[in-house]
Amino acid sequence: MSKATKRKILKTLDRAEEADTLSKRFDMLITTLILLNVAAVIIETVDSIHDQYSLYFHYFEVFSVVVFSIEYVIRLWACTVLEKYKHPVFGRIKYMFSASAIIDLLAILPFYLPFVLNHSDGRIVRILRLARLVRIFKLGRYSQALTLISDVIRKRREELIVSLTLLIIMLIFASTLMYYIEYEPDKPGFQSIPETMWWGVATLTTVGYGDVYPVTALGKLLGAAIAIMGVGLFALPAGIVAAGFESELRNRNKKNKGQDE
Amino acid sequence: MSKATKRKILKTLDRAEEADTLSKRFDMLITTLILLNVAAVIIETVDSIHDQYSLYFHYFEVFSVVVFSIEYVIRLWACTVLEKYKHPVFGRIKYMFSASAIIDLLAILPFYLPFVLNHSDGRIVRILRLARLVRIFKLGRYSQALTLISDVIRKRREELIVSLTLLIIMLIFASTLMYYIEYEPDKPGFQSIPETMWWGVATLTTVGYGDVYPVTALGKLLGAAIAIMGVGLFALPAGIVAAGFESELRNRNKKNKGQDE
Amino acid sequence: MSKATKRKILKTLDRAEEADTLSKRFDMLITTLILLNVAAVIIETVDSIHDQYSLYFHYFEVFSVVVFSIEYVIRLWACTVLEKYKHPVFGRIKYMFSASAIIDLLAILPFYLPFVLNHSDGRIVRILRLARLVRIFKLGRYSQALTLISDVIRKRREELIVSLTLLIIMLIFASTLMYYIEYEPDKPGFQSIPETMWWGVATLTTVGYGDVYPVTALGKLLGAAIAIMGVGLFALPAGIVAAGFESELRNRNKKNKGQDE
Amino acid sequence: MSKATKRKILKTLDRAEEADTLSKRFDMLITTLILLNVAAVIIETVDSIHDQYSLYFHYFEVFSVVVFSIEYVIRLWACTVLEKYKHPVFGRIKYMFSASAIIDLLAILPFYLPFVLNHSDGRIVRILRLARLVRIFKLGRYSQALTLISDVIRKRREELIVSLTLLIIMLIFASTLMYYIEYEPDKPGFQSIPETMWWGVATLTTVGYGDVYPVTALGKLLGAAIAIMGVGLFALPAGIVAAGFESELRNRNKKNKGQDE
């Protein structure tokens, strides 16, 4: 088949450009299929639904894997049209180790593995069933959201590491002090520093489940001080991500406008 | 009646301009009536109050519906003065399907429907009673707040969709992992992924009711990691709305000043 | 006594200018006395401490009231030196109704009232005891913090009203829907819309005590949606106050630098 | 030994410059040792792990203290090469009271103290064991994060003090009012104002453990109002720290780029 055909196919598979109606429709089909797959993985875990419709879930799974497998094979076959993967053998092997190809493979593997592995182990069966959720990352090709957040994290990496370091130091100190104050034999929640850290995270993120909290006067005083101070520190990564997100979106909008003109 | 009269009436009904004292007083009357209606819907649900004053609530309801019905009919009759709804028949039909006319209709419908429907069904009676709350949207004509937020959401639509997408992906992954780790037959809260999502939302929004939380060491470790990372993502929409709100208010203030000069 | 003396006394009582050492020392004394008073009101409510040291608390109260009364009388006597309160009789009456004079009066009144009122009613005695806390506002003369926040709220009044309106509409709708879904006779927490609002506030502010939460599947779905959307709205006033606070502080710093040069 | 050698040693001990490979490796070694020490202090508190590996923990502690002691002695001996600590005796004494030298001393003291003190008191033994956590501050020499946050707090000191003052006043008023409304003999959580403050902190930081919350209608009304208003105030320090953090990081990045060019 000619290179032009391959190129056409790859273009149709990937995210559609403005004018390409065929590719747009295909995008919508594959996106819908991925979302249905995610929904299936989630809903299937409800026992009552699973028991009643397990056959339909199975049919849908087989159908999805067939489609995704065909997509994978086509991409592998057509990738040689790209300069990077030009070589008919090594180019394809190189392509197989690209991030998106690995995701495509992981998306179908949970279906094929049980034919190879001994799948009498219930734990492995469950892992494989949930591993199908990796299909959500196939959306990365079509969705702005997933690429955006990874860009933001990459660009603000340094700030995020600094603030996460502070956050962990704060957590260690808060938990150590609280452990020292609240520890009593047989009092659950403060039996060791790692155990006290569960209280620390719940408090500093302000989740506050209420399963553990200080009960001594000194513990409450310290807990209050930690809550007041820590809330600021734990809001740092949120603020950094939000700021990066805003500026990234502004940049993209500018670029898009630049292209339109 | 002359067009001038119709125009005068419409002006009086709508939000007052600076100098128009009559219209201003009318605005205050209708706003007060709407707020009293909202208060009535809310307070009426308290059994002890309802039992004692049900007759007064009924009188007030009849009075309100009469006023709102008259307002609706006047608006429908006078709308032809506007260019858009010029035609005496089709213009009025077109007006009836405008957003504010639909709200006006929905505001009085719950009163008239029981005369048409068989209202022996307690569920429908309750829906109709609460549906009266739609009257709060009649404030949209007079209140800046309601129009402001819809403007902000419209303008920041794209950012909000992106961040909500991220948020839902985060929620799905967090819940799937936690379900896998914490699932045990007969342990409530983690029986299926949708059920685990209730924990996920409570944790990632930092509400943390404390009705479900991980109890295994691995679950707590994962829960802590999710809480720390997720808090940032879930603060995104809040940040976007806040930023849009600020810039929108600034724009409006500028415009107002521009008009004053 | 000469006008110069009066002026000197008023200056010493009020917030010290940079060079005025006497006034500075006096500020510190009165600030310390106010803070000790606040601490006394708080600590006195601990029964074990109150029982043991009630006499000391009483002596301290008498001493404080004497000082504050003298301060009040001196200010009233010296105020005529100011242009606004020039008239010996009406000027002083006018001064008595100024905000800071009212605070000064309220600060000492709880001590004198029991001599006038019949104070056998325990409820009134308790109110009077706690009313002494109003003394904290006497700090307003010396502390930047208290004047700052009132400035911020005044300047951002409009935005705050808009966002509080949105917040209350959100709360009403969330609570009405949840009440409709979760209501069941004898199920506490969702017996009426006002009662459901307690859940609404706890959820939308993300406090989440965990005393009430939805238990039906539909209620949890709605609760999750409300939590995700509402968190943004409820963060609005916080964002507005924070932004106003920042810009206000920047302005003040600029002004101070301008004065120094 | 020559001054050049001393200088070389100090350079190797301190944070590495770009090109200095030896110093970089040494930094990594000492950083790893510090992190392992912190991990040891934390993990050691888990009884099951402590019981099984107590000997290994002891060996590791001895090894760490030897390394840190040698480091301390070398630094003390070499510090005279710096202009500030030039004098062979007084310079070294002066160095001993520098912040980083005190941290270095505190890091090893918990090991040596029991040889001096009577360590039969279990409480002191536990304090000394946890005091080893001070070793985390030794990271300050190598980590940007720790110096960054202290810079931010120093520069925004004024704003932080103002907002903390507001926050404490808010807390005092909220707790006093709530105490007055909810107090009843034998009702835990609202027995005194200091006790009610525990509720106040949990609510205003939105942690909301759920161990105490108002139960009367009036108390819930007040609690809701406090939660809505207070959330804004308690987000202030977080916002200030986040803004300071962002601008500080931007400054540093600029400086670094300036140096590179």
Side-chain angles (χ1 to χ4, degrees):
Chain A
M1 228 179 286
S2 75
K3 273 194 171 184
T5 323
K6 281 188 180 175
R7 203 161 273 146
K8 176 81 188 133
I9 288 171
L10 272 189
K11 253 193 181 160
T12 310
L13 286 174
D14 281 338
R15 205 185 175 187
E17 281 159 41
E18 280 306 302
D20 195 340
T21 326
L22 176 68
S23 176
K24 262 195 178 167
R25 275 191 200 145
F26 187 83
D27 285 7
M28 240 165 69
L29 270 176
I30 206 97
T31 306
T32 310
L33 187 63
I34 295 170
L35 291 178
L36 284 176
N37 263 277
V38 171
V41 173
I42 292 172
I43 295 170
E44 213 184 6
T45 60
V46 183
D47 281 348
S48 61
I49 294 175
H50 180 258
D51 293 350
Q52 214 175 342
Y53 302 104
S54 65
L55 207 66
Y56 299 98
F57 279 113
H58 184 66
Y59 288 156
F60 178 66
E61 172 68 10
V62 171
F63 170 74
S64 303
V65 167
V66 166
V67 172
F68 291 147
S69 299
I70 291 172
E71 188 203 349
Y72 183 73
V73 170
I74 289 179
R75 281 183 188 279
L76 192 61
W77 161 76
C79 73
T80 53
V81 90
L82 298 167
E83 195 55 36
K84 275 205 292 186
Y85 310 121
K86 205 167 51 175
H87 193 284
V89 178
F90 297 117
R92 285 197 170 106
I93 289 172
K94 202 177 155 196
Y95 171 75
M96 283 178 74
F97 285 96
S98 70
S100 63
I102 288 173
I103 288 172
D104 285 349
L105 188 62
L106 288 177
I108 50 174
L109 223 55
F111 182 81
Y112 295 118
L113 274 185
F115 297 110
V116 188
L117 295 171
N118 171 10
H119 61 296
S120 60
D121 185 346
R123 203 157 180 88
I124 287 175
V125 170
R126 275 186 68 221
I127 289 186
L128 288 178
R129 197 171 290 155
L130 296 178
R132 287 180 290 150
L133 207 64
V134 94
R135 283 167 199 171
I136 212 172
F137 288 123
K138 283 175 78 78
L139 285 174
R141 268 199 201 90
Y142 313 104
S143 159
Q144 207 188 5
L146 278 171
T147 57
L148 187 67
I149 197 71
S150 71
D151 275 16
V152 167
I153 289 171
R154 199 162 349 103
K155 283 198 184 160
R156 305 272 167 148
R157 201 181 42 231
E158 200 195 348
E159 280 137 292
L160 284 172
I161 289 171
V162 171
S163 59
L164 281 174
T165 309
L166 287 174
L167 196 148
I168 286 166
I169 291 174
M170 175 90 196
L171 179 61
I172 288 174
F173 265 85
S175 303
T176 303
L177 272 174
M178 196 51 109
Y179 161 72
Y180 180 72
I181 290 172
E182 287 283 321
Y183 173 84
E184 247 170 71
D186 306 322
K187 189 163 98 180
F190 301 99
Q191 283 300 301
S192 68
I193 296 180
E195 202 180 329
T196 310
M197 278 176 171
W198 175 244
W199 164 84
V201 170
T203 300
L204 290 167
T205 58
T206 77
V207 170
Y209 291 120
D211 52 342
V212 271
Y213 45 82
V215 290
T216 66
L218 201 60
K220 286 184 176 184
L221 194 69
L222 177 72
I226 287 168
I228 289 171
M229 290 188 306
V231 165
L233 267 182
F234 270 68
L236 270 183
I240 291 165
V241 168
F245 188 83
E246 282 270 320
S247 78
E248 191 68 26
L249 262 179
R250 239 193 330 266
N251 283 349
R252 293 199 177 192
N253 283 341
K254 258 189 220 158
K255 236 195 245 166
N256 286 347
K257 274 178 194 159
Q259 287 177 337
D260 292 354
E261 285 166 318
Chain B
M1 228 179 289
S2 73
K3 274 194 171 184
T5 323
K6 281 187 179 177
R7 204 161 272 147
K8 177 81 188 130
I9 289 170
L10 272 189
K11 255 195 180 159
T12 310
L13 286 174
D14 282 338
R15 205 183 175 189
E17 280 158 43
E18 280 307 302
D20 195 341
T21 326
L22 176 68
S23 175
K24 264 197 178 165
R25 276 191 200 144
F26 188 83
D27 284 6
M28 240 164 70
L29 270 177
I30 206 99
T31 305
T32 311
L33 187 62
I34 294 170
L35 291 178
L36 284 175
N37 264 277
V38 171
V41 173
I42 292 173
I43 294 169
E44 212 184 6
T45 61
V46 182
D47 280 348
S48 62
I49 294 176
H50 179 258
D51 293 350
Q52 213 174 342
Y53 303 103
S54 65
L55 208 65
Y56 298 98
F57 279 113
H58 183 67
Y59 289 156
F60 179 66
E61 172 67 11
V62 171
F63 169 74
S64 302
V65 167
V66 167
V67 173
F68 291 147
S69 300
I70 292 171
E71 187 204 351
Y72 184 74
V73 170
I74 289 179
R75 280 184 189 279
L76 191 62
W77 161 77
C79 73
T80 53
V81 91
L82 298 167
E83 195 55 34
K84 274 205 290 185
Y85 310 121
K86 206 168 51 177
H87 193 284
V89 179
F90 298 117
R92 286 196 169 107
I93 289 172
K94 203 178 155 196
Y95 171 75
M96 284 177 73
F97 285 96
S98 71
S100 63
I102 288 173
I103 288 173
D104 284 350
L105 188 62
L106 287 177
I108 51 175
L109 223 55
F111 183 81
Y112 295 118
L113 274 186
F115 297 110
V116 188
L117 295 171
N118 171 11
H119 61 297
S120 60
D121 184 349
R123 205 159 179 86
I124 287 175
V125 170
R126 275 186 68 222
I127 288 185
L128 287 178
R129 196 171 292 153
L130 295 178
R132 286 180 292 151
L133 207 65
V134 94
R135 284 167 199 171
I136 212 173
F137 288 123
K138 284 174 77 80
L139 285 174
R141 269 200 200 89
Y142 313 103
S143 159
Q144 207 188 5
L146 278 171
T147 56
L148 187 67
I149 197 71
S150 69
D151 275 15
V152 167
I153 289 172
R154 200 162 348 104
K155 283 197 185 162
R156 304 270 167 150
R157 203 181 41 230
E158 200 194 350
E159 279 137 292
L160 284 172
I161 289 171
V162 171
S163 60
L164 281 174
T165 308
L166 286 173
L167 197 148
I168 287 166
I169 291 173
M170 176 90 196
L171 179 62
I172 289 174
F173 264 86
S175 304
T176 304
L177 273 173
M178 196 50 110
Y179 161 72
Y180 180 72
I181 290 173
E182 286 283 320
Y183 173 84
E184 247 171 71
D186 305 322
K187 188 163 97 179
F190 301 100
Q191 282 299 301
S192 67
I193 295 179
E195 202 180 330
T196 310
M197 278 177 171
W198 175 244
W199 164 83
V201 170
T203 300
L204 290 167
T205 57
T206 77
V207 170
Y209 291 120
D211 52 342
V212 272
Y213 45 82
V215 291
T216 66
L218 200 60
K220 284 183 176 184
L221 194 69
L222 178 71
I226 287 169
I228 290 171
M229 289 189 307
V231 165
L233 268 181
F234 271 67
L236 270 182
I240 291 166
V241 169
F245 188 83
E246 282 269 319
S247 79
E248 191 68 26
L249 263 179
R250 241 196 325 266
N251 283 350
R252 293 199 177 193
N253 283 341
K254 258 188 220 157
K255 237 196 244 165
N256 287 347
K257 274 179 194 159
Q259 287 178 335
D260 291 355
E261 284 166 319
Chain C
M1 228 179 288
S2 74
K3 274 195 171 183
T5 324
K6 282 188 179 176
R7 203 161 274 147
K8 176 84 187 126
I9 289 169
L10 271 190
K11 253 195 182 160
T12 311
L13 285 174
D14 283 338
R15 203 181 177 192
E17 279 158 43
E18 281 306 303
D20 194 341
T21 325
L22 176 69
S23 175
K24 264 198 177 164
R25 274 190 201 145
F26 187 82
D27 285 5
M28 239 165 70
L29 270 177
I30 206 99
T31 304
T32 310
L33 187 63
I34 295 171
L35 290 179
L36 284 176
N37 264 277
V38 172
V41 174
I42 292 173
I43 293 169
E44 211 185 6
T45 62
V46 182
D47 281 348
S48 61
I49 295 174
H50 180 258
D51 293 350
Q52 213 175 343
Y53 302 103
S54 63
L55 207 65
Y56 298 98
F57 279 114
H58 183 67
Y59 288 156
F60 178 66
E61 172 67 11
V62 171
F63 169 74
S64 304
V65 168
V66 167
V67 173
F68 292 147
S69 300
I70 292 170
E71 188 204 350
Y72 183 73
V73 170
I74 290 179
R75 281 183 188 278
L76 193 61
W77 161 77
C79 73
T80 53
V81 92
L82 298 167
E83 195 56 35
K84 275 206 289 187
Y85 310 121
K86 206 168 49 178
H87 193 283
V89 178
F90 298 116
R92 285 195 170 106
I93 289 172
K94 201 177 156 195
Y95 172 75
M96 283 178 75
F97 285 96
S98 70
S100 63
I102 288 174
I103 289 173
D104 285 349
L105 188 62
L106 287 177
I108 51 175
L109 222 56
F111 182 82
Y112 295 118
L113 274 185
F115 297 110
V116 188
L117 294 171
N118 171 12
H119 61 298
S120 61
D121 184 348
R123 202 157 182 87
I124 287 175
V125 171
R126 276 186 68 221
I127 289 185
L128 287 178
R129 196 171 291 154
L130 295 178
R132 286 180 291 150
L133 207 65
V134 95
R135 284 167 198 172
I136 211 172
F137 289 123
K138 283 174 78 77
L139 285 175
R141 270 202 199 86
Y142 312 104
S143 159
Q144 205 188 7
L146 277 171
T147 56
L148 187 68
I149 197 70
S150 70
D151 274 17
V152 168
I153 288 172
R154 199 162 350 102
K155 283 198 185 161
R156 304 272 167 150
R157 202 181 42 230
E158 199 195 350
E159 281 137 292
L160 284 172
I161 289 172
V162 171
S163 60
L164 281 174
T165 309
L166 286 174
L167 197 148
I168 285 166
I169 291 174
M170 176 91 196
L171 179 62
I172 289 174
F173 265 86
S175 303
T176 304
L177 274 173
M178 196 51 111
Y179 161 71
Y180 180 72
I181 290 172
E182 287 282 321
Y183 173 83
E184 247 171 71
D186 305 322
K187 188 162 96 180
F190 301 99
Q191 282 299 303
S192 67
I193 295 179
E195 202 179 331
T196 309
M197 277 176 170
W198 175 244
W199 165 84
V201 170
T203 300
L204 289 167
T205 57
T206 78
V207 170
Y209 291 120
D211 52 342
V212 271
Y213 45 81
V215 290
T216 65
L218 200 60
K220 285 183 175 183
L221 194 69
L222 178 72
I226 287 168
I228 289 171
M229 289 188 308
V231 165
L233 268 181
F234 270 67
L236 270 183
I240 291 165
V241 169
F245 188 84
E246 282 270 320
S247 80
E248 191 68 25
L249 263 179
R250 240 194 330 265
N251 283 350
R252 294 199 176 191
N253 284 340
K254 258 188 222 158
K255 237 195 245 165
N256 287 347
K257 275 179 194 158
Q259 288 177 335
D260 291 355
E261 285 166 318
Chain D
M1 228 179 285
S2 75
K3 273 195 170 181
T5 323
K6 280 188 181 177
R7 201 161 275 147
K8 175 82 187 131
I9 288 169
L10 271 190
K11 254 196 181 160
T12 309
L13 285 174
D14 282 338
R15 206 184 176 188
E17 280 158 42
E18 281 307 303
D20 195 340
T21 325
L22 176 69
S23 176
K24 263 199 176 164
R25 275 192 200 142
F26 187 82
D27 284 7
M28 239 165 71
L29 270 177
I30 206 100
T31 305
T32 309
L33 187 63
I34 295 170
L35 291 178
L36 284 176
N37 263 278
V38 171
V41 173
I42 293 173
I43 293 169
E44 212 185 4
T45 62
V46 182
D47 280 348
S48 61
I49 294 175
H50 180 258
D51 293 349
Q52 213 175 342
Y53 302 104
S54 64
L55 208 66
Y56 298 98
F57 279 112
H58 183 66
Y59 288 158
F60 177 67
E61 172 68 9
V62 171
F63 170 74
S64 303
V65 168
V66 167
V67 173
F68 291 147
S69 299
I70 291 170
E71 187 204 350
Y72 183 74
V73 170
I74 289 179
R75 281 183 188 278
L76 192 61
W77 161 75
C79 74
T80 53
V81 91
L82 298 167
E83 195 56 35
K84 276 205 289 187
Y85 310 122
K86 205 168 50 179
H87 193 284
V89 178
F90 298 117
R92 285 197 170 106
I93 288 172
K94 202 178 156 195
Y95 171 76
M96 282 177 75
F97 286 95
S98 70
S100 62
I102 288 174
I103 288 173
D104 284 349
L105 188 63
L106 288 177
I108 50 175
L109 223 55
F111 182 82
Y112 296 116
L113 273 185
F115 297 110
V116 189
L117 295 170
N118 171 13
H119 59 297
S120 61
D121 184 348
R123 204 157 180 87
I124 286 175
V125 171
R126 275 187 66 221
I127 288 185
L128 288 178
R129 197 170 291 153
L130 295 178
R132 287 180 292 151
L133 207 64
V134 95
R135 283 167 199 171
I136 211 172
F137 288 123
K138 284 175 76 77
L139 285 174
R141 269 201 200 87
Y142 313 104
S143 159
Q144 204 188 9
L146 278 171
T147 56
L148 188 67
I149 198 69
S150 70
D151 275 16
V152 168
I153 289 171
R154 199 162 349 104
K155 283 199 185 161
R156 304 271 167 149
R157 202 181 43 230
E158 199 195 350
E159 280 137 291
L160 284 173
I161 289 171
V162 171
S163 60
L164 281 174
T165 309
L166 286 175
L167 197 149
I168 285 165
I169 291 174
M170 176 90 196
L171 179 61
I172 289 174
F173 265 86
S175 303
T176 304
L177 273 173
M178 196 50 110
Y179 161 71
Y180 179 72
I181 290 173
E182 286 282 320
Y183 174 83
E184 248 170 71
D186 305 323
K187 189 162 95 180
F190 302 99
Q191 283 299 301
S192 68
I193 295 180
E195 202 180 329
T196 310
M197 278 177 170
W198 175 243
W199 164 84
V201 170
T203 299
L204 290 166
T205 58
T206 78
V207 170
Y209 292 119
D211 53 342
V212 271
Y213 45 82
V215 290
T216 66
L218 201 60
K220 285 183 175 183
L221 194 69
L222 178 72
I226 287 168
I228 289 171
M229 289 189 307
V231 164
L233 268 182
F234 270 67
L236 270 182
I240 292 165
V241 169
F245 188 82
E246 282 270 321
S247 79
E248 191 68 26
L249 263 178
R250 240 194 329 266
N251 284 350
R252 293 201 176 191
N253 283 339
K254 258 189 219 156
K255 235 195 247 164
N256 286 347
K257 274 179 195 157
Q259 288 178 334
D260 292 354
E261 285 165 317

